[in-house]
């Protein structure tokens, strides 16, 4: 089964979308599912060349896509900046194309912006967190920020994967710097 493309306009009225990648989407999905103000979290693929990516194609590195989560949230309850703060703290944004044992371009640290305001907030957040990491001796942040290309919903068996598989693997780990 191939992934289904979802347009950013498929966001409920009064809500916002953030699409982020920090390595395995299973781990990221579980983190955002637990945040107050988050309405839904979906695993998917974004930022590559293929117009119908499959998990096997993405993991093979041929599609150029990153594993991402699409977070729909209520900005009256949680801000985009709060979403970004969680993003930076839960993974190591200084390791290009790697989180834990997960290695490959699909595991890159990436933020896809849906508006100039989101892009500006993401760039400011990356800059602020990079300064905090530098104070603790970490190398440069490698997080990519770009305008949101099409988002492809991952196969059903990836959705809420860690809920379905409580002993499933999660390779992300933060730096300990807040």
């Amino acid at each position: 089964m191939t992934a289904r493309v979802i347009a950013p306009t498929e966001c409920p009225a009064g809500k916002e979308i953030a699409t982020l990648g920090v390595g395995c989407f299973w781990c990221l999905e579980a983190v955002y599912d637990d945040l107050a103000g988050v309405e839904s979290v979906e695993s998917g693929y974004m930022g590559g060349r293929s117009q119908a990516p499959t998990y096997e194609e993405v993991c093979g590195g041929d599609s150029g896509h990153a594993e991402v989560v699409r977070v729909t949230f209520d900005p009256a309850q949680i801000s985009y900046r709060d979403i970004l703060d969680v993003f930076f703290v839960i993974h190591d944004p200084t390791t290009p194309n790697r989180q834990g044992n997960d290695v490959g371009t699909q595991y890159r640290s990436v933020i896809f912006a849906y508006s100039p305001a989101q892009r500006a907030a993401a760039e400011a957040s990356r800059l602020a967190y990079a300064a905090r990491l530098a104070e603790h001796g970490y190398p440069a942040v490698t997080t990519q920020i770009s305008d949101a290309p099409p988002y492809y919903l991952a196969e059903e068996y990836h959705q809420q994967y860690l809920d379905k598989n409580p002993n499933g693997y999660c390779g992300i780990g933060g730096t300990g710097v807040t």
Side-chain angles (χ1 to χ4, degrees):
M1 179 183 125
T2 58
R4 179 175 68 90
V5 68
I6 297 179
T9 55
E10 291 184 40
C11 184
K15 309 301 179 207
E16 289 187 36
I17 296 172
T19 303
L20 315 158
V22 302
C24 177
F25 47 33
W26 300 337
C27 306
L28 189 56
E29 183 183 69
V31 169
Y32 282 105
D33 266 339
D34 288 339
L35 294 180
V38 169
E39 305 267 325
S40 67
V41 184
E42 300 170 317
S43 292
Y45 314 112
M46 208 168 188
R49 297 171 299 283
S50 175
Q51 294 182 10
T54 64
Y55 183 66
E56 292 74 21
E57 182 183 25
V58 172
C59 286
D62 297 330
S63 74
H65 286 286
E67 289 188 19
V68 297
V69 295
R70 182 177 190 257
V71 179
T72 302
F73 64 99
D74 181 347
Q77 295 182 39
I78 186 169
S79 71
Y80 183 64
R81 178 60 190 248
D82 291 337
I83 298 283
L84 294 173
D85 287 348
V86 170
F87 167 83
F88 279 110
V89 168
I90 64 170
H91 79 296
D92 182 349
T94 68
T95 56
N97 302 326
R98 178 186 195 124
Q99 291 299 313
N101 292 327
D102 295 330
V103 179
T105 58
Q106 72 272 27
Y107 300 120
R108 65 190 178 269
S109 176
V110 63
I111 301 168
F112 292 107
Y114 289 94
S115 68
Q118 276 196 354
R119 188 177 186 108
E123 289 171 356
S125 186
R126 178 179 59 187
L127 188 62
Y129 198 62
R132 291 283 298 138
L133 287 172
E135 291 172 8
H136 290 85
Y138 280 89
V141 168
T142 64
T143 302
Q144 300 170 351
I145 299 171
S146 65
D147 294 334
Y151 167 81
Y152 300 90
L153 183 67
E155 298 82 356
E156 177 56 35
Y157 70 93
H158 291 297
Q159 308 303 322
Q160 284 71 48
Y161 182 84
L162 292 178
D163 284 343
K164 297 173 191 171
N165 301 279
N167 296 321
Y169 170 75
C170 180
I172 64 170
T175 62
V177 177
T178 58

